[in-house]
């Protein structure tokens, strides 16, 4: 099977379509699908797990692409690889999140400090919710929805922190 680099070089998929910009794209999000399961929308050939969501001012819509295509589209393969490495790291950390040692708050709720945030999970409306507070007290956010289990509320809090961290300028 050809590599993503070869597909770009041979202008497969949208790389060969007139009107589709090749440079000047911006990554607006990245997600982990858990396993390779979707096709890169730029080269239209590579099955990808880590999806870089790319936008361009001269193209309507957002393309879901693989790391190498994203790097070429934004003009920095290094940036795309660093973004994907960070996502891989967060994936491993998420897998360990529930097994970490959670303390018990004064009100008897599970709580933990991580990545500059304090997470507290509590019962609410027949389910469980979480509060995420920056440890410096500058911002507090409460879950909008309830989750059936404490574990699901903890994982939702982790995912929210990941989104917050991805939006923080380095």
């Amino acid at each position: 099977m050809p590599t993503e680099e070869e597909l770009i070089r041979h202008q497969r998929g949208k790389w060969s379509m007139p009107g589709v910009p090749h440079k000047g794209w911006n990554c607006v999000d990245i997600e982990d699908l858990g396993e390779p399961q979707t096709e890169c929308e730029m080269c239209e050939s590579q099955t990808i797990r880590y999806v870089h969501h790319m936008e361009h001012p001269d193209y309507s819509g957002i393309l879901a692409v693989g790391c190498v295509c994203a790097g070429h589209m934004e003009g920095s393969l290094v940036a795309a690889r660093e973004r994907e490495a960070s996502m891989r790291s967060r994936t491993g950390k998420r897998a360990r999140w529930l097994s970490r040692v959670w303390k018990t708050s004064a009100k008897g709720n599970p709580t933990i400090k991580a990545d500059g945030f304090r997470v507290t999970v509590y019962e609410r409306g027949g389910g469980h919710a979480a509060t995420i507070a920056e440890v410096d007290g500058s911002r507090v956010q409460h879950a909008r929805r309830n989750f059936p289990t404490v574990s699901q509320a903890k994982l939702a809090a982790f995912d929210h922190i990941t989104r917050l961290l991805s939006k923080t300028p380095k």
Side-chain angles (χ1 to χ4, degrees):
M1 173 146 220
T3 66
E4 208 170 354
E5 282 284 356
E6 292 169 328
L7 296 170
I8 293 166
R9 199 170 34 256
H10 297 314
Q11 298 195 333
R12 294 284 302 267
K14 289 184 179 64
W15 289 109
S16 65
M17 293 177 69
V20 178
H22 291 189
K23 301 280 183 204
W25 291 80
N26 181 46
C27 184
V28 294
D29 195 15
I30 183 171
E31 70 178 312
D32 176 7
L33 300 178
E35 63 184 44
Q37 60 177 281
T38 195
E39 187 176 87
C40 172
E41 293 180 344
M42 189 64 167
C43 67
E44 299 176 349
S45 300
Q46 216 43 22
T47 303
I48 57 175
R49 169 182 174 166
Y50 296 96
V51 181
H52 302 245
H53 296 276
M54 308 296 287
E55 70 176 1
H56 193 283
D58 298 329
Y59 187 84
S60 69
I62 293 176
L63 293 181
V65 306
C67 183
V68 175
C69 282
H72 285 279
M73 292 164 76
E74 69 186 304
S76 176
L77 201 49
V78 170
R81 287 192 170 130
E82 286 175 354
R83 189 170 50 246
E84 187 160 307
S86 176
M87 178 57 69
R88 288 177 190 269
S89 173
R90 291 299 293 175
T91 297
K93 193 170 184 177
R94 187 180 195 274
R96 297 182 299 276
W97 183 247
L98 296 178
S99 62
R100 291 190 55 183
V101 176
W102 288 65
K103 295 182 179 181
T104 303
S105 73
K107 294 183 180 179
N109 297 314
T111 188
I112 195 168
K113 286 183 185 177
D115 297 320
F117 297 91
R118 182 180 57 256
V119 177
T120 305
V121 176
Y122 52 92
E123 287 185 40
R124 181 177 75 185
H128 302 274
T131 295
I132 300 170
E134 292 192 37
V135 291
D136 67 5
S138 63
R139 182 170 43 172
V140 176
Q141 297 179 340
H142 303 281
R144 291 189 194 124
R145 57 180 275 226
N146 289 350
F147 299 89
T149 68
V150 169
S151 293
Q152 288 173 320
K154 287 179 178 180
L155 289 171
F158 180 89
D159 294 341
H160 188 70
I161 289 170
T162 298
R163 284 189 297 278
L164 290 172
L165 292 173
S166 74
K167 291 179 171 83
T168 303
K170 305 246 185 302

